[in-house]
């Protein structure tokens, strides 16, 4: 049995912080300790107390004065889109047809898929993200590549091959039956292997026929414990086209409800332009609206009404995500920086404790994995990151005037990127320093 004892300033969240001075919402130790044993956090608290529980052979790593926080969680990202990030000048449907779909045709090649999966998870680690809910391409090979790479790293990730049998180019469609068969085979092969989780993934209503949506619903009934991920109400043209394709539906959300695809593990990417009826349906189902601010801004899709969705009589569960390649970077810090601006434009504010809750415990709760990740609680998987608030000269200068933890977190959120992430522990083992060689 090997033990590692981490020392530093520890921060973990207990619940949503109602205000910037809601100290009962988080636990912070100025001289904190985390005892890691067999991939989990065996003890957490004041360093002196935790050190007393360590065995004689424990390896001590002193990260002071840096912050130790749970690994970031990204609730929606497209790993096959790495090479279309920063593609100019298109809104959603044109962007898909011009850039994304041609790129995704390459993933029939298993070697290409494994290379991009490796590079994608490298970037997740580099930016402090230890869990991601990822879309693969339509090809079974792409999901196999992603899961193999994820399993090799012992990461807790959620992913699925997209199901899409229409409105996509040749070489990028399956059929209702093949989509069902490939998904079922991937579930058998990968779900529950190590830390891997499978997500049933109809890309969105536009690229699936009613027959395929029925197959997705059948999978949801057969495997009720699995995640479901898809897209909803990102763009006005997308909504109009969906309603043309499904004229019997009350609205876009009703398409997914009709096929039994709404539930507590359903992740609905974007969910910007929701009617009150749709928001009520999503709330009643316990499904999750996924906020992708850099993507929504970059593609000109609209502004996600974060605070209203949280406060409404029937509130929505919310997660946050990068969405790359529609998003503009891999960093959850950058994501929440842009999220702050999106919310501010609408006359609201998101305080820094709320931002850090969202990308740690908040996203873990939204993804129904808070029993495993998203906190520094004893018994949690040891996915931990080390944040350096003085990582760049600009940050170091600003830190000279920082007088509170709230100010420091906001600095990290506003000015931080992968350079602020000093180390990443996945299942208790250092991962970022290995990437650096």
């Amino acid at each position: 049995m090997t033990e590692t004892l981490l020392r530093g300033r520890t921060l973990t969240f207990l619940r949503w912080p109602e205000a910037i001075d809601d100290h009962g919402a988080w636990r912070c130790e100025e001289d904190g300790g985390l005892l890691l044993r067999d991939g989990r956090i065996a003890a957490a608290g004041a360093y002196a107390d935790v050190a007393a529980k360590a065995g004689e052979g424990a390896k001590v790593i002193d990260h002071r004065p840096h912050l130790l926080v749970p690994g970031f969680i990204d609730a929606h990202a497209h790993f096959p889109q790495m090479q279309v990030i920063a593609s100019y000048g298109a809104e959603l449907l044109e962007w898909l047809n011009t850039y994304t779909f041609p790129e995704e045709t390459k993933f029939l090649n298993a070697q290409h898929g494994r290379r991009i999966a490796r590079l994608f998870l490298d970037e997740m680690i580099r930016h402090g993200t230890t869990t991601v809910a990822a879309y693969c391409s339509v090809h079974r090979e792409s999901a196999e590549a992603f899961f193999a790479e994820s399993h090799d790293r012992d990461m807790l990730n959620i992913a699925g091959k997209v199901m899409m049998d229409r409105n996509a180019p040749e070489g990028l469609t399956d059929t209702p039956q093949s989509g069902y068969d490939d998904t079922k085979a991937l579930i058998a092969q990968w779900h529950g292997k190590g830390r891997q989780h499978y997500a049933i993934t109809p890309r969105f209503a536009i690229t699936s026929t009613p027959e395929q949506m029925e197959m997705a619903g059948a999978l949801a009934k057969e495997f009720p414990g699995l995640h479901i991920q898809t897209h909803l109400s990102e763009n006005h043209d997308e909504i109009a086209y969906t309603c043309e394709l499904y004229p019997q539906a009350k609205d876009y959300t009703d398409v997914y409800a009709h096929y039994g695809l709404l539930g507590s593990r359903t992740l609905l990417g974007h969910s910007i332009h929701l009617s009150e009826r749709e928001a009520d349906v999503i709330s009643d189902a316990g499904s999750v609206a996924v906020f992708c601010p850099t993507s929504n801004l970059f593609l000109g899709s609209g502004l996600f009404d974060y605070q209203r969705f949280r406060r409404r009589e029937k509130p929505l569960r919310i997660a946050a995500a990068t969405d790359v390649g529609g998003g503009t970077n891999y960093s959850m810090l950058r994501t929440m920086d842009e999220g702050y601006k999106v919310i501010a434009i609408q006359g609201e504010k998101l305080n820094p404790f709320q931002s850090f809750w969202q990308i740690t415990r908040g996203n873990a709760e939204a993804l129904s994995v808070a029993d495993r990740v998203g906190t520094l609680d004893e018994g949690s998987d040891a996915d931990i990151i080390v944040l350096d608030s003085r990582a760049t000269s600009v940050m170091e200068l600003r830190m000279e005037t920082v007088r509170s933890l709230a100010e420091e977190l906001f600095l990290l959120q506003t000015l931080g990127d992968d350079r602020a992430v000093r180390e990443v522990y996945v299942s208790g083992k250092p991962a970022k320093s290995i990437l650096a060689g």
Side-chain angles (χ1 to χ4, degrees), residues 36 72 110 209 252 361 389:
L36 314 185
F72 295 148
T209 60
Y252 197 163
R361 188 184 191 109
S389 305

Side-chain angles (χ1 to χ4, degrees), residues 396-404 407:
E396 187 172 22
L397 182 64
R398 177 66 177 90
M399 275 296 289
E400 291 180 10
T401 63
V402 165
R403 296 293 178 264
S404 69
E407 290 181 351

Side-chain angles (χ1 to χ4, degrees), residues 400-419:
E400 291 180 10
T401 63
V402 165
R403 296 293 178 264
S404 69
L405 178 59
E407 290 181 351
E408 183 178 0
L409 293 177
F410 195 63
L411 180 153
L412 279 163
Q413 173 186 315
T414 307
L415 298 178
D417 52 28
D418 58 307
R419 294 169 293 180

Side-chain angles (χ1 to χ4, degrees), residues 163 165 174-181 209 211-213 215:
M163 303 167 71
D165 66 339
D174 53 13
T175 68
Q177 190 63 51
S178 71
Y180 172 89
D181 291 343
T209 60
E211 293 76 18
Q212 182 163 79
M213 296 294 274
M215 289 294 201

